[in-house]
Amino acid sequence: MPLQTSASLIEEIKDLAPPGLAELNANTLAALGAVTRRLIATMKREGRLSENPIELAMTRDVALHHEAALRRLKGRRVMVIGGEGCVGTRLRSLLAGLGPQSLVSLDIAAHGGLGTGMRVDIRDAAALDAAFAEARPEVVFHLAAIREPGRAEVIVRDAVETNVYGTANVIAACRRHGVAQAVYSSTGKCFAYITDHVYTATKKLAEAQWMAAAREGGPTQFVATRFTHVLENGIVARDIAQGIKAGLVGLHGSDRHFNLQNLRQATHLLVNAVALAGEQAADSFWSAIDLGWPVNTLEMALYQIDQGGRDVAVRFLGVPRGYDEQFFRGQFDWSGAHEYHPLINALEAPSSFTDRTGTMIGARVPAGAEGRLQQELERLRHVLRENPRDAGFVADAVVKRALLDAVAGLAASAFAASDPQRLLDVLWWGAAPNWAGPDASTARRFAPVLTLLADAMLQRPVALRDVPGAAEKLADIALTFRQIPALEERAASLSAALEPAVAN
């Protein structure tokens, strides 16, 4: 009898416990456990699971700009908004070692650990203003958010009110009370141009507000970081640990991967953002430059099960809403002119820079038309008012649609303001026939963002006439568009875009 492969055993797990199967009886659990044990043995035979998949992620570092941080933080009044969470707690420990005059943790959760606690919901602008008036912070770190993508899909209104308008309240309070530096903890998911997900959309609108405040200037320097999954604070790591304790680990799938950073990287990024404020363009963000290769969640779980020595089974639950972002090829720069980074998109890549230690990378967030952000925020606020909290599921769906439309509106504005050659490259990277898939099946999934990119291109056809290779790229894009019903009309427009130039 031939040896089983890990792929065949994974299929066996899927057959035993399909994603839609809610209840597992004792026999099924026992069978899953047996297959899991065979899967671990088989992966070892295949040369996998010999090392901890997250070991490198645990040891990576971002160098702390210690002297510059001291100059900005020693003897200052510091506030951490969202200070009772995992990152906030570790950040307070780091900050305490830098000699602040006072350290305040503002959170909706009860206070514990270093500093003074203030229980405030950032959605309550008046309460937040009163807290600022009392604490008189000179440096603010804004970490508070509804951060679990799956949860955000269930509590849409709370996610919008907290992540979007709560952030607006923080910005207003910082300005009103003369804060010197304010740091926002954004997410790598903001590298997406548009999204179908509540969490990503709310964080994009929050980041956009922070960048707009930074561009406007004034007494407060607004600076930002982008995080990926923080290992010690990660939802995946938490779910695996809880599953091992319960005897059954539920994973989204066998082929799910994610980037990781550790708490040291995260907290050093935040402090460095204050230390280096003003040394880079105002509308910039910092990220850890070394995020390693994405980690496979199945290997992560199986390694921990094997090391723990307990009889634990795994199953695959399917990918829930909020976690099923799809890869759009035009998201990344394929020119070879810029270093690849998983948190920096192709429109941001040309502006990228590093710090002098070489452990941080940054980039600028593209700006759209002046006033467009406020227009989108007002439209969304109007929808919130017209669909009250007690209106139920239908109202949540309306609010979510308005939220996603606001992000799409911002993207359209940023595309329209982008360099035409860069925009053409982004569109071509995402739609050229070689990678669009048979009958454009791959590109078809991205019709909304392709539409926005094409419309931005068609607004400025004259600007394309001096772009090398524009005719060939537009022909490629049009070929793909003709196979996508929603884009057929734009295919003809793209084909004709350079005709006057060709005629000359």
Side-chain angles (χ1 to χ4, degrees), residues 251-267:
L251 301 170
H252 292 168
S254 60
D255 57 352
R256 303 290 292 175
H257 295 75
F258 66 132
N259 290 103
L260 284 172
Q261 67 184 78
N262 58 55
L263 270 175
R264 182 176 55 258
Q265 286 177 298
T267 54

Side-chain angles (χ1 to χ4, degrees), residues 199-220:
Y199 172 73
T200 302
T202 58
K203 292 292 279 188
K204 279 191 71 68
L205 290 183
E207 183 185 87
Q209 291 178 91
W210 208 265
M211 294 296 98
R215 292 185 194 104
E216 289 168 13
T220 304

Side-chain angles (χ1 to χ4, degrees), residues 142-379:
H142 176 30
L143 314 182
I146 289 174
R147 68 179 186 86
E148 295 190 24
R151 182 168 173 245
E153 295 294 327
V154 177
I155 53 170
V156 178
R157 175 180 292 274
D158 286 337
V160 172
E161 290 177 348
T162 301
N163 296 357
V164 179
Y165 297 108
T167 296
N169 291 339
V170 171
I171 291 170
C174 286
R175 284 174 160 164
R176 189 176 300 117
H177 295 277
V179 170
Q181 285 89 31
V183 186
Y184 177 58
S185 169
S186 189
T187 171
K189 290 181 180 291
C190 285
F191 88 122
Y193 302 129
I194 63 172
T195 181
D196 290 330
H197 298 149
V198 172
Y199 172 73
T200 302
T202 58
K203 292 292 279 188
K204 279 191 71 68
L205 290 183
E207 183 185 87
Q209 291 178 91
W210 208 265
M211 294 296 98
R215 292 185 194 104
E216 289 168 13
T220 304
Q221 289 179 308
F222 291 94
V223 291
T225 63
R226 275 188 190 171
F227 290 172
T228 187
H229 301 86
V230 177
L231 179 61
E232 298 91 333
N233 193 38
I235 298 163
V236 174
R238 180 202 65 192
D239 289 349
I240 289 174
Q242 291 177 350
I244 290 174
K245 186 176 181 180
L248 176 65
V249 175
L251 301 170
H252 292 168
S254 60
D255 57 352
R256 303 290 292 175
H257 295 75
F258 66 132
N259 290 103
L260 284 172
Q261 67 184 78
N262 58 55
L263 270 175
R264 182 176 55 258
Q265 286 177 298
T267 54
H268 284 193
L269 273 173
L270 290 163
V271 171
N272 285 347
V274 168
L276 304 182
E279 295 186 14
Q280 62 284 333
D283 53 356
S284 301
F285 61 87
W286 286 107
S287 290
I289 200 167
D290 183 7
L291 297 177
W293 289 101
V295 173
N296 177 269
T297 57
L298 175 59
E299 291 190 14
M300 181 176 169
L302 292 178
Y303 180 87
Q304 292 182 29
I305 291 169
D306 185 46
Q307 292 297 302
R310 296 187 60 207
D311 192 11
V312 179
V314 298
R315 67 169 300 192
F316 306 115
L317 303 171
V319 183
R321 291 294 298 163
Y323 296 92
D324 55 343
E325 293 272 15
Q326 295 181 323
F327 171 76
F328 174 55
R329 195 175 187 276
Q331 209 75 41
F332 295 109
D333 184 294
W334 298 86
S335 67
H338 311 285
E339 288 292 328
Y340 161 81
H341 193 275
L343 309 189
I344 297 175
N345 68 39
L347 289 183
E348 296 162 346
S351 69
S352 62
F353 49 84
T354 60
D355 75 326
R356 61 180 175 271
T357 73
T359 60
M360 298 201 306
I361 188 169
R364 299 181 67 181
V365 177
E370 186 175 352
R372 183 62 179 266
L373 173 60
Q374 289 307 316
Q375 290 173 9
E376 297 296 347
L377 290 172
E378 282 305 314
R379 289 191 189 102

Side-chain angles (χ1 to χ4, degrees), residues 411-427:
S413 183
F415 291 161
S418 296
D419 172 68
Q421 181 168 356
R422 171 61 34 164
L423 203 64
L424 176 61
D425 284 340
V426 169
L427 184 54

